[in-house]
Protein backbone atom coordinates (compact mmCIF):
# COMPACT_ATOMS: atom_id res chain seq x y z
CA UNK A 1 0.00 0.00 0.00
CA UNK A 2 1.53 3.27 -1.14
CA UNK A 3 0.90 6.44 0.83
CA UNK A 4 1.27 9.71 -1.08
CA UNK A 5 1.05 13.24 0.27
CA UNK A 6 0.89 14.94 -3.10
CA UNK A 7 1.83 18.47 -2.19
CA UNK A 8 0.47 20.95 0.28
CA UNK A 9 -2.51 22.92 -1.00
CA UNK A 10 -2.98 20.95 -4.22
CA UNK A 11 -6.37 19.47 -3.21
CA UNK A 12 -9.26 21.54 -1.85
CA UNK A 13 -9.94 20.63 1.78
CA UNK A 14 -13.52 21.97 1.76
CA UNK A 15 -15.79 19.55 3.59
CA UNK A 16 -12.94 18.18 5.72
CA UNK A 17 -12.57 19.02 9.38
CA UNK A 18 -9.74 21.52 9.52
CA UNK A 19 -7.37 21.00 12.42
CA UNK A 20 -4.07 22.62 11.42
CA UNK A 21 -4.59 25.05 8.51
CA UNK A 22 -0.88 25.74 7.95
CA UNK A 23 -0.02 22.02 7.77
CA UNK A 24 -3.18 20.13 6.73
CA UNK A 25 -3.03 18.38 3.38
CA UNK A 26 -4.87 15.51 1.71
CA UNK A 27 -2.99 12.35 0.75
CA UNK A 28 -3.78 9.11 -1.04
CA UNK A 29 -3.50 5.45 -0.06
CA UNK A 30 -3.22 3.19 -3.09
CA UNK A 31 -2.09 -0.28 -4.17
CA UNK A 32 0.31 0.98 -6.83
CA UNK A 33 1.83 4.03 -8.45
CA UNK A 34 -0.62 3.65 -11.35
CA UNK A 35 -3.50 3.92 -8.88
CA UNK A 36 -1.97 7.10 -7.46
CA UNK A 37 -1.70 8.41 -11.01
CA UNK A 38 -5.41 7.75 -11.46
CA UNK A 39 -6.30 9.55 -8.23
CA UNK A 40 -4.10 12.47 -9.23
CA UNK A 41 -5.94 12.79 -12.54
CA UNK A 42 -9.32 12.59 -10.79
CA UNK A 43 -8.24 15.46 -8.52
CA UNK A 44 -6.89 17.41 -11.51
CA UNK A 45 -3.34 17.44 -10.18
CA UNK A 46 -1.21 18.37 -13.17
CA UNK A 47 2.60 18.59 -13.00
CA UNK A 48 4.22 21.81 -14.11
CA UNK A 49 6.06 20.02 -16.90
CA UNK A 50 5.71 16.58 -18.46
CA UNK A 51 8.92 15.19 -19.96
CA UNK A 52 8.95 13.86 -23.49
CA UNK A 53 11.29 11.06 -22.42
CA UNK A 54 12.21 9.41 -19.14
CA UNK A 55 15.75 9.00 -17.80
CA UNK A 56 17.31 5.61 -17.34
CA UNK A 57 18.26 4.50 -13.86
CA UNK A 58 21.89 5.19 -14.78
CA UNK A 59 20.95 8.85 -15.31
CA UNK A 60 19.27 9.17 -11.92
CA UNK A 61 20.80 10.69 -8.80
CA UNK A 62 19.38 9.97 -5.36
CA UNK A 63 20.11 11.83 -2.14
CA UNK A 64 19.67 9.77 1.04
CA UNK A 65 18.67 11.97 3.99
CA UNK A 66 18.54 10.33 7.41
CA UNK A 67 17.37 13.46 9.30
CA UNK A 68 18.43 14.15 12.86
CA UNK A 69 16.06 11.42 14.12
CA UNK A 70 17.93 8.49 12.59
CA UNK A 71 20.80 7.79 14.96
CA UNK A 72 18.63 7.73 18.08
CA UNK A 73 15.44 6.19 16.77
CA UNK A 74 16.13 4.02 13.69
CA UNK A 75 15.48 0.36 14.44
CA UNK A 76 17.51 -2.59 13.20
CA UNK A 77 15.08 -3.27 10.34
CA UNK A 78 15.26 0.32 9.11
CA UNK A 79 19.05 0.35 9.23
CA UNK A 80 19.19 -2.86 7.18
CA UNK A 81 16.69 -1.54 4.62
CA UNK A 82 18.54 1.78 4.43
CA UNK A 83 21.78 0.09 3.40
CA UNK A 84 19.99 -2.36 1.11
CA UNK A 85 18.18 0.41 -0.80
CA UNK A 86 21.44 2.25 -1.40
CA UNK A 87 23.07 -0.95 -2.64
CA UNK A 88 20.18 -1.82 -5.00
CA UNK A 89 20.22 1.62 -6.61
CA UNK A 90 23.99 1.79 -6.77
CA UNK A 91 24.28 -1.69 -8.30
CA UNK A 92 21.71 -0.65 -10.92
CA UNK A 93 23.93 2.24 -11.95
CA UNK A 94 22.29 5.20 -10.20
CA UNK A 95 24.31 7.83 -8.37
CA UNK A 96 23.68 7.52 -4.63
CA UNK A 97 24.79 10.16 -2.14
CA UNK A 98 24.31 10.61 1.59
CA UNK A 99 23.01 14.15 2.16
CA UNK A 100 23.25 15.91 5.51
CA UNK A 101 20.93 18.86 5.97
CA UNK A 102 22.10 21.79 8.06
CA UNK A 103 21.32 22.07 11.78
CA UNK A 104 18.53 24.52 11.01
CA UNK A 105 16.50 21.50 9.81
CA UNK A 106 16.89 19.65 13.11
CA UNK A 107 14.17 19.18 15.73
CA UNK A 108 11.35 19.78 13.30
CA UNK A 109 8.94 18.63 15.94
CA UNK A 110 8.12 22.31 15.54
CA UNK A 111 5.56 21.06 13.04
CA UNK A 112 3.70 19.17 15.74
CA UNK A 113 3.87 22.04 18.21
CA UNK A 114 2.28 24.25 15.56
CA UNK A 115 -0.28 21.55 14.84
CA UNK A 116 -1.22 21.30 18.53
CA UNK A 117 -1.61 25.08 18.79
CA UNK A 118 -3.81 25.21 15.70
CA UNK A 119 -5.86 22.20 16.79
CA UNK A 120 -6.62 24.01 20.04
CA UNK A 121 -8.20 26.83 18.03
CA UNK A 122 -9.87 24.69 15.36
CA UNK A 123 -11.58 22.33 17.82
CA UNK A 124 -12.63 24.90 20.40
CA UNK A 125 -16.23 25.02 19.12
CA UNK A 126 -16.45 21.20 19.15
CA UNK A 127 -15.03 21.17 22.66
CA UNK A 128 -17.63 23.63 23.91
CA UNK A 129 -20.52 21.79 22.25
CA UNK A 130 -19.61 18.28 23.37
CA UNK A 131 -16.11 17.67 24.61
CA UNK A 132 -16.97 14.02 25.36
CA UNK A 133 -16.78 13.36 21.62
CA UNK A 134 -13.09 14.33 21.65
CA UNK A 135 -10.26 12.11 22.82
CA UNK A 136 -8.47 13.00 26.03
CA UNK A 137 -5.46 14.10 23.99
CA UNK A 138 -7.53 16.53 21.92
CA UNK A 139 -9.31 17.84 25.01
CA UNK A 140 -5.94 18.52 26.60
CA UNK A 141 -4.78 20.42 23.50
CA UNK A 142 -7.83 22.67 23.63
CA UNK A 143 -7.54 23.21 27.38
CA UNK A 144 -3.82 24.07 27.24
CA UNK A 145 -3.87 26.01 23.98
CA UNK A 146 -1.61 23.35 22.48
CA UNK A 147 1.06 23.97 25.09
CA UNK A 148 2.70 26.92 23.33
CA UNK A 149 1.78 30.56 22.82
CA UNK A 150 0.48 31.99 19.56
CA UNK A 151 3.67 34.08 19.35
CA UNK A 152 5.92 31.04 19.73
CA UNK A 153 3.92 29.13 17.12
CA UNK A 154 4.23 32.05 14.70
CA UNK A 155 8.01 32.10 15.20
CA UNK A 156 8.08 28.40 14.28
CA UNK A 157 5.96 29.08 11.18
CA UNK A 158 8.30 31.87 10.10
CA UNK A 159 11.34 29.64 10.58
CA UNK A 160 9.86 26.87 8.46
CA UNK A 161 8.90 29.35 5.76
CA UNK A 162 12.55 30.36 5.38
CA UNK A 163 13.62 26.71 5.01
CA UNK A 164 11.18 25.76 2.24
CA UNK A 165 12.86 27.55 -0.69
CA UNK A 166 16.28 26.43 0.60
CA UNK A 167 15.21 22.80 0.57
CA UNK A 168 13.70 23.22 -2.90
CA UNK A 169 17.17 24.06 -4.18
CA UNK A 170 18.67 21.00 -2.48
CA UNK A 171 16.13 18.50 -3.81
CA UNK A 172 16.25 19.87 -7.37
CA UNK A 173 19.79 18.55 -7.57
CA UNK A 174 18.46 15.00 -7.34
CA UNK A 175 15.97 12.74 -9.07
CA UNK A 176 14.49 12.30 -5.59
CA UNK A 177 15.41 12.52 -1.94
CA UNK A 178 15.03 9.18 -0.13
CA UNK A 179 14.35 9.22 3.60
CA UNK A 180 12.96 6.96 6.34
CA UNK A 181 9.18 6.77 6.65
CA UNK A 182 9.19 5.49 10.22
CA UNK A 183 11.51 3.82 12.71
CA UNK A 184 10.74 0.25 11.69
CA UNK A 185 8.26 -2.11 10.10
CA UNK A 186 4.50 -1.57 10.05
CA UNK A 187 2.61 -2.50 13.24
CA UNK A 188 0.16 -5.39 13.35
CA UNK A 189 -3.43 -4.42 12.59
CA UNK A 190 -4.47 -4.51 16.26
CA UNK A 191 -1.49 -2.44 17.42
CA UNK A 192 -1.94 1.31 17.27
CA UNK A 193 1.23 3.13 16.30
CA UNK A 194 1.31 6.88 15.85
CA UNK A 195 5.04 6.93 15.08
CA UNK A 196 5.55 10.17 13.16
CA UNK A 197 8.98 11.42 14.19
CA UNK A 198 10.42 10.94 10.69
CA UNK A 199 7.51 12.80 9.07
CA UNK A 200 7.51 16.15 10.87
CA UNK A 201 10.22 17.73 8.76
CA UNK A 202 8.49 16.98 5.45
CA UNK A 203 5.11 18.07 6.78
CA UNK A 204 6.67 21.36 7.80
CA UNK A 205 8.37 21.85 4.42
CA UNK A 206 5.13 21.25 2.44
CA UNK A 207 6.92 18.89 0.05
CA UNK A 208 5.32 15.95 -1.83
CA UNK A 209 6.04 12.56 -0.24
CA UNK A 210 5.46 9.05 -1.58
CA UNK A 211 5.97 6.12 0.78
CA UNK A 212 7.08 2.97 -1.03
CA UNK A 213 6.72 -0.17 1.15
CA UNK A 214 9.15 -2.17 -0.90
CA UNK A 215 10.78 -4.26 1.83
CA UNK A 216 9.84 -6.54 4.72
CA UNK A 217 10.93 -6.31 8.33
CA UNK A 218 12.08 -9.12 10.60
CA UNK A 219 8.44 -10.09 11.32
CA UNK A 220 7.55 -10.12 7.64
CA UNK A 221 5.55 -6.90 7.86
CA UNK A 222 6.12 -4.09 5.36
CA UNK A 223 8.81 -1.49 5.82
CA UNK A 224 9.33 1.25 3.33
CA UNK A 225 11.21 4.40 2.50
CA UNK A 226 9.83 7.71 1.28
CA UNK A 227 10.63 9.62 -1.90
CA UNK A 228 10.64 13.41 -1.54
CA UNK A 229 10.34 16.05 -4.25
CA UNK A 230 10.41 19.84 -4.36
CA UNK A 231 7.29 21.88 -3.63
CA UNK A 232 4.86 22.35 -6.51
CA UNK A 233 6.82 19.95 -8.72
CA UNK A 234 5.48 16.42 -9.00
CA UNK A 235 8.24 14.03 -9.95
CA UNK A 236 7.41 12.91 -13.49
CA UNK A 237 9.43 9.76 -12.89
CA UNK A 238 6.87 8.83 -10.22
CA UNK A 239 3.67 9.95 -11.91
CA UNK A 240 4.27 9.10 -15.53
CA UNK A 241 6.45 6.02 -15.44
Amino acid sequence: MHNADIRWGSIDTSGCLSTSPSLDTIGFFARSISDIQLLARVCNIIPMAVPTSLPTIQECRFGFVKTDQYEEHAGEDLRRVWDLAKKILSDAGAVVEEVTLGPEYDKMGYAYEICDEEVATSLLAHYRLNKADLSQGLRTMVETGGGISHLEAQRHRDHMATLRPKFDQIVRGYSAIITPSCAGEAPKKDEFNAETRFCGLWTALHVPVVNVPGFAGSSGLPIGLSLIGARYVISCRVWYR
Side-chain angles (χ1 to χ4, degrees):
M1 183 70 71
H2 295 71
N3 178 19
D5 288 328
I6 308 305
R7 63 175 184 264
W8 186 84
S10 61
I11 302 176
D12 182 21
T13 58
S14 297
C16 299
L17 175 63
S18 175
T19 54
S20 180
S22 70
L23 299 173
D24 283 347
T25 190
I26 293 177
F28 302 141
F29 285 93
R31 296 167 300 177
S32 64
I33 294 299
S34 60
D35 283 354
I36 295 177
Q37 291 175 318
L38 175 60
L39 288 168
R41 289 194 293 271
V42 168
C43 293
N44 199 34
I45 300 173
I46 302 172
M48 296 177 67
V50 179
T52 57
S53 62
L54 298 177
T56 64
I57 189 65
Q58 291 80 13
E59 296 172 311
C60 289
R61 185 172 176 233
F62 296 96
F64 277 66
V65 175
K66 291 179 175 178
T67 80
D68 64 317
Q69 299 297 311
Y70 187 93
E71 294 305 329
E72 181 178 356
H73 299 290
E76 182 178 339
D77 284 330
L78 173 58
R79 294 174 188 272
R80 174 181 57 80
V81 164
W82 186 257
D83 292 335
L84 178 58
K86 289 193 293 183
K87 183 178 187 303
I88 290 172
L89 289 172
S90 181
D91 288 350
V95 175
V96 174
E97 299 176 359
E98 287 267 7
V99 179
T100 301
L101 302 178
E104 64 269 29
Y105 291 89
D106 291 351
K107 298 180 181 178
M108 291 306 286
Y110 286 158
Y112 299 113
E113 292 182 7
I114 290 171
C115 182
D116 290 353
E117 185 260 352
E118 293 182 348
V119 166
T121 300
S122 298
L123 296 185
L124 179 59
H126 294 269
Y127 177 89
R128 288 175 172 169
L129 287 171
N130 189 359
K131 67 180 181 181
D133 283 347
L134 300 177
S135 68
Q136 182 57 56
L138 291 177
R139 292 200 296 269
T140 300
M141 287 183 201
V142 175
E143 292 163 358
T144 63
I148 64 172
S149 68
H150 293 301
L151 179 59
E152 187 177 5
Q154 187 56 49
R155 286 173 179 161
H156 291 339
R157 281 189 283 265
D158 290 345
H159 173 64
M160 291 189 297
T162 65
L163 294 182
R164 288 170 191 143
K166 294 180 181 178
F167 182 75
D168 288 343
Q169 293 304 311
I170 294 173
V171 71
R172 285 191 174 109
Y174 296 92
S175 303
I177 293 293
I178 295 179
T179 193
S181 302
C182 59
E185 65 182 359
K188 297 178 181 178
K189 66 178 181 179
D190 57 346
E191 295 177 354
F192 176 75
N193 183 357
E195 167 60 65
T196 57
R197 69 179 72 253
F198 286 101
C199 305
L201 174 59
W202 316 117
T203 300
L205 293 177
H206 290 174
V207 291
V209 181
V210 180
N211 168 255
V212 182
F215 303 91
S218 54
S219 299
L221 293 170
I223 180 170
L225 299 175
S226 291
L227 280 76
I228 310 290
R231 291 179 303 160
Y232 313 118
V233 179
I234 297 178
S235 171
C236 297
R237 280 174 292 280
V238 172
W239 300 116
Y240 288 89
R241 184 165 58 188

